Amino acid sequence: MTSPLIGNPRALAAIQRALASGSPPHAWLFAGPGGVGKASLARWLAQAVNCVATPGGTSAEPCGECAQCTRIARGIHADVVTVTIPPPEDGVQHKDISVEQVREIEQAVALAPFEGRTRVAIIDPADAMSTGAQNAFLKTLEEPPPNAVFVLIANREDALLPTVRSRCRLVDFGLVAAGEIETALRERGTDDDQARLLSRLAEGRPERALALAADAKRLEKRRELLEEASALGGMPMADLMDLTERMARQFREKREAVFDRLSAWLSWWRDVLLVQSGAGDGIANVDLTEVLQLDADRYERADVIAFVQSLTKCRERLEANVQARIALDATLVMAPRAAARAR
Ligand SMILES: [Zn+2]
């Protein structure tokens, strides 16, 4: 079974080499941006160290078909667990992976494997482990139980204690070129136009492209957000202020929806700027080139630049928990005004 990874061939090769060496590490750290396939590859690794197609040994290429491989793929293998931030309970939002959760993993991996050859604990996101949790985990990393493998998945490896990092085999993942994603999508049966579009919308994150390919509703939603983005240009000030008020409310209830919106807006206005700069080849929204061209003709380039910068800043400020209303007001007043361009 080939790996589920799109791109990042060096990361895959490093893992396969270690597996083939006969003494693979007990602890791995998969580090890099979200959406590039680190979690899928962790499950693939769990298959490799449990697959029965190569009896007695660890396989650098799990078969994907034996009972071990299929149970891991379905997420029902007793020896493969993923530890993550717990879902909200009674309205309380958890922010990290706790010391108690780490203790539970330790107890689980101390036992002999139940149905497979190796117990695998995937910690995702590992950078959400509290300092206490990391210190507790350190002891296990120093004296790993036999037949146990840990995979730590992190967007930011520097959020982990150096003592934890140094005990893991680091595998670095990077963003993937659009061309590589496009080819992989075509090989998976996506038609040419769609593959070209999705590979550009993915912004280097193949899993984003796969999610869009699997769910037509997401593409529809994107279309709506882009129409909204375009409509911001020349929108009367009163309407803009109404919009910021609604979004500030949305931010309190569903932060992610606001970030999705800002990302779509940013992708639109960045594309407008690319068209204005004569760099239309690099645009993301390749299915909407005609509308992009209209906006590119309609607004002053300096205004578009200012708005793109303002949207970028807004996202940063919201991530830093600046009051949403203030950040959004300051951004939307920067939306380009209509018909400024002299002909
Ligand atoms: Zn197998």
Side-chain angles (χ1 to χ4, degrees):
M1 180 191 137
T2 51
S3 97
L5 206 60
I6 296 174
N8 280 301
R10 274 197 300 193
L12 178 64
I15 296 167
Q16 285 179 318
R17 257 198 319 276
L19 290 175
S21 74
S23 54
H26 288 282
W28 299 82
L29 171 55
F30 290 2
V36 297
K38 302 191 297 295
S40 313
L41 202 63
R43 276 191 301 279
W44 180 87
L45 176 62
Q47 289 176 319
V49 294
N50 279 298
C51 180
V52 291
T54 47
T58 287
S59 168
E61 195 85 8
C63 74
E65 283 162 14
C66 70
Q68 297 289 325
C69 283
T70 48
R71 287 177 66 77
I72 292 168
R74 290 171 59 200
I76 54 170
H77 194 290
D79 298 323
V80 179
V81 292
T82 297
V83 183
T84 187
I85 302 171
E89 288 168 284
D90 306 325
V92 181
Q93 188 92 42
H94 293 277
K95 287 211 175 81
D96 50 24
I97 293 175
S98 64
V99 175
E100 291 70 38
Q101 285 177 279
V102 168
R103 300 234 187 279
E104 281 168 25
I105 312 172
E106 283 169 356
Q107 284 166 8
V109 297
L111 304 170
F114 181 70
E115 59 173 308
R117 203 164 53 232
T118 313
R119 284 197 181 260
V120 181
I122 300 165
I123 303 168
D124 182 14
D127 33 5
M129 279 195 285
S130 67
T131 309
Q134 292 189 46
N135 276 317
F137 188 47
L138 198 53
K139 290 195 198 75
T140 306
L141 285 178
E142 281 165 346
E143 290 166 41
N147 305 320
V149 168
F150 301 95
V151 187
L152 281 66
I153 295 183
N155 289 0
R156 296 173 40 240
E157 55 171 293
D158 59 3
L160 292 167
L161 297 175
T163 42
V164 169
R165 260 184 288 164
S166 68
R167 283 172 178 79
C168 299
R169 177 79 57 90
L170 174 68
V171 183
D172 266 319
F173 291 74
L175 294 173
V176 180
E180 237 172 306
I181 300 176
E182 186 179 340
T183 307
L185 287 174
R186 278 214 222 98
E187 284 166 4
R188 284 165 169 75
T190 306
D191 72 51
D192 288 4
D193 284 350
Q194 189 81 337
R196 177 154 183 268
L197 172 63
L198 298 185
S199 66
R200 265 128 196 105
L201 298 182
E203 294 177 342
R205 301 162 201 266
E207 300 218 318
R208 197 180 280 178
L210 293 172
L212 285 167
D215 183 357
K217 278 213 195 81
R218 279 178 190 243
L219 271 178
E220 241 170 72
K221 182 73 194 161
R222 160 191 167 264
R223 210 44 192 254
E224 281 167 26
L225 290 178
L226 293 179
E227 276 165 21
E228 183 180 67
S230 176
L232 292 174
M235 187 182 275
M237 201 50 82
D239 293 354
L240 287 173
M241 293 302 109
D242 276 354
L243 183 56
T244 59
E245 198 187 322
R246 272 182 280 136
M247 284 176 74
R249 212 177 311 130
Q250 189 180 35
F251 192 72
R252 283 195 295 276
E253 286 149 16
K254 220 176 147 200
R255 291 170 65 104
E256 281 318 304
V258 173
F259 282 117
D260 285 352
R261 226 159 161 175
L262 287 173
S263 297
W265 293 358
L266 195 52
S267 105
W268 181 261
W269 289 100
R270 217 191 269 137
D271 277 359
V272 171
L273 186 57
L274 283 170
V275 173
Q276 287 180 330
S277 313
D281 286 352
I283 60 170
N285 301 294
V286 286
D287 55 334
L288 295 167
T289 45
E290 284 167 26
V291 198
L292 281 168
Q293 186 65 56
L294 289 176
D295 274 357
D297 292 340
R298 195 172 288 148
Y299 302 108
E300 288 287 355
R301 187 161 174 265
D303 290 349
V304 176
I305 293 173
F307 192 41
V308 167
Q309 285 169 343
S310 181
L311 284 167
T312 310
K313 184 127 190 237
C314 183
R315 202 156 63 172
E316 288 166 11
R317 294 177 77 192
L318 290 179
E319 273 163 7
N321 286 317
V322 172
Q323 222 196 330
R325 183 72 200 263
I326 295 173
L328 289 162
D329 271 348
T331 304
L332 284 186
V333 294
M334 301 298 287
R337 313 309 305 161
R341 177 172 277 216
R343 289 269 152 188

